[in-house]
Amino acid sequence: MDRRQQKTRQAVFDAFARLLERKNYTNITVQDIIDEANIGRSTFYAHFETKDELLKTLCSEIFDHVFAEEIYREKTHDFSKNGHNIKAEITHILYHLQESSRYIKRILSCESGEMFMRYFKERMTLVFDGELEKQKSDIPKEYMLNHMVCDFAETVRWWMKNDYYSPEEISRFFFSTTPFA
Amino acid sequence: MDRRQQKTRQAVFDAFARLLERKNYTNITVQDIIDEANIGRSTFYAHFETKDELLKTLCSEIFDHVFAEEIYREKTHDFSKNGHNIKAEITHILYHLQESSRYIKRILSCESGEMFMRYFKERMTLVFDGELEKQKSDIPKEYMLNHMVCDFAETVRWWMKNDYYSPEEISRFFFSTTPFA
DNA sequence: ATGATAATGAACAAAGTGTTCAGTTATGAT
DNA sequence: ATCATAACTGAACACTTTGTTCATTATCAT
């Protein structure tokens, strides 16, 4: 990719993150981002169709990092029986989330958080989907899957506002209300 | 209240609900509501400052119905020991939610759902707050409270998309993942 | 060096917001 | 039945934001 494009892209992400520190997502205009990133108006629109798409792209970049190993596992079909441990996996994801927490906190601080939560839940569905097969219960599987995904996502949202806990502690909190062995 | 005001107010609520059936909240303009409600532009703004305030007001009306008895209990301080049973209370709330489900389903079907969820969680916090005092655990109380509230709110959101279950069944699903006795 | 690609920024049309105001109509108290 | 009051009307207005276009300039890769 052309250096100019990279530079512009990064300038926009940074400007956006900085703006999220002082303003609500809804109250940030495209013009604000353009001014903060110090780029031309048409340049922004050459990169992103809308402000929502910018947010979506930023979320994707974050998740590509957070779920890097899960993606690898999916691709290589490496679901090694003993190696695949849901508790270890969750703690692992929490560590990666912590690394991106500067971005995530800002995104979660306002309405943009809802889009983040939606995309995050999509990803987490893949993580929990297989895990639930193991459980037997008279509760509908679709209910349980939704429950686990929302539960974890809300745990993360809570953590980002109470960030003095370690990934291990958060993992413990999460599993304390969970039917997993 | 003047009959004209009542009529206008109701016309706006109905128009809004009808529009939510065909359009996303964000894509509904104030002008759409005005046209659908068949009122003058300045009349709308005499009643509601913004579209968001309209949604907030509608949510309030719904919750005033859903939590009618809880409000009564709070006012009269009627926390009679045996009479106050969390499972009965939850089932009761679910029944009331079912009665307003036509509105709620539409609101939850798009971004307006996030505002609904926020207000709903505020109300539910009051319901669960006292209940948690009874539990003892090494998990932070703030975590548990947030967990219970989000859990129930997400259960309701799931129910509104899977409405062939009865309030009793939903209550059972909810308590199946809960530490309550 | 040079052809290709990206960035610039002014100008534009379109859509929406929220306010104002002079004129109309319904309401409810007497 | 009358009438002062309060609510509704809708056109007009200024303002903000969006997304596009295009001629010009700067930067890149080779």
Side-chain angles (χ1 to χ4, degrees), chain B residues 4-5 8 39-40 42-43 47:
Chain B
R4 288 168 294 182
Q5 283 188 73
T8 300
I39 58 169
S42 47
T43 307
H47 283 258

Side-chain angles (χ1 to χ4, degrees), chain A:
Chain A
M1 187 193 261
D2 197 306
R3 279 183 213 153
R4 291 169 292 181
Q5 282 188 72
Q6 283 178 45
K7 215 184 88 188
T8 299
R9 211 179 143 86
Q10 199 53 51
V12 170
F13 283 147
D14 290 349
F16 184 50
R18 253 176 281 133
L19 284 167
L20 276 173
E21 225 167 24
R22 337 181 208 125
K23 274 187 167 186
N24 266 0
Y25 177 71
T26 342
N27 294 331
I28 296 173
T29 66
V30 174
Q31 194 58 53
D32 287 338
I33 300 169
I34 286 163
D35 292 344
E36 181 75 27
N38 197 27
I39 58 168
R41 182 163 186 73
S42 47
T43 308
F44 176 90
Y45 283 108
H47 282 258
F48 306 98
E49 290 206 347
T50 62
K51 198 176 55 160
D52 277 8
E53 207 213 72
L54 164 60
L55 174 58
K56 190 173 181 169
T57 308
L58 181 54
C59 287
S60 292
E61 301 234 327
I62 292 170
F63 293 143
D64 284 350
H65 168 244
V66 169
F67 294 99
E69 281 82 0
E70 335 302 319
I71 288 163
Y72 173 78
R73 218 197 313 271
E74 277 164 31
K75 274 189 183 153
T76 59
H77 299 253
D78 172 21
F79 295 98
S80 29
K81 295 94 203 165
N82 307 23
H84 178 67
N85 174 279
I86 184 71
K87 289 194 186 184
E89 197 171 352
I90 287 292
T91 310
H92 193 227
I93 290 170
L94 288 169
Y95 265 102
H96 277 328
L97 285 165
Q98 196 174 41
E99 283 160 18
S100 302
S101 67
R102 277 189 61 79
Y103 271 118
I104 299 176
K105 269 182 215 169
R106 291 175 194 177
I107 295 174
L108 281 179
S109 72
C110 57
E111 324 87 80
S112 49
E114 306 307 336
M115 288 185 82
F116 178 92
M117 291 289 278
R118 188 156 57 250
Y119 301 138
F120 186 52
K121 285 178 188 174
E122 278 173 25
R123 299 282 196 133
M124 286 308 301
T125 301
L126 303 174
V127 174
F128 283 122
D129 198 17
E131 203 58 29
L132 275 170
E133 300 298 330
K134 301 175 187 170
Q135 311 290 318
K136 37 190 126 181
S137 136
D138 56 343
I139 308 293
K141 231 188 318 237
E142 314 87 61
Y143 178 86
M144 282 306 293
L145 183 56
N146 181 69
H147 168 73
M148 296 306 304
V149 166
C150 292
D151 191 359
F152 186 64
E154 293 294 350
T155 295
V156 169
R157 175 144 69 179
W158 184 84
W159 186 29
M160 290 290 143
K161 283 190 294 194
N162 300 270
D163 52 1
Y164 33 82
Y165 293 105
S166 70
E168 280 82 5
E169 282 174 303
I170 295 296
S171 179
R172 190 171 66 84
F173 297 169
F174 173 67
F175 282 107
S176 77
T177 63
T178 266
F180 292 151

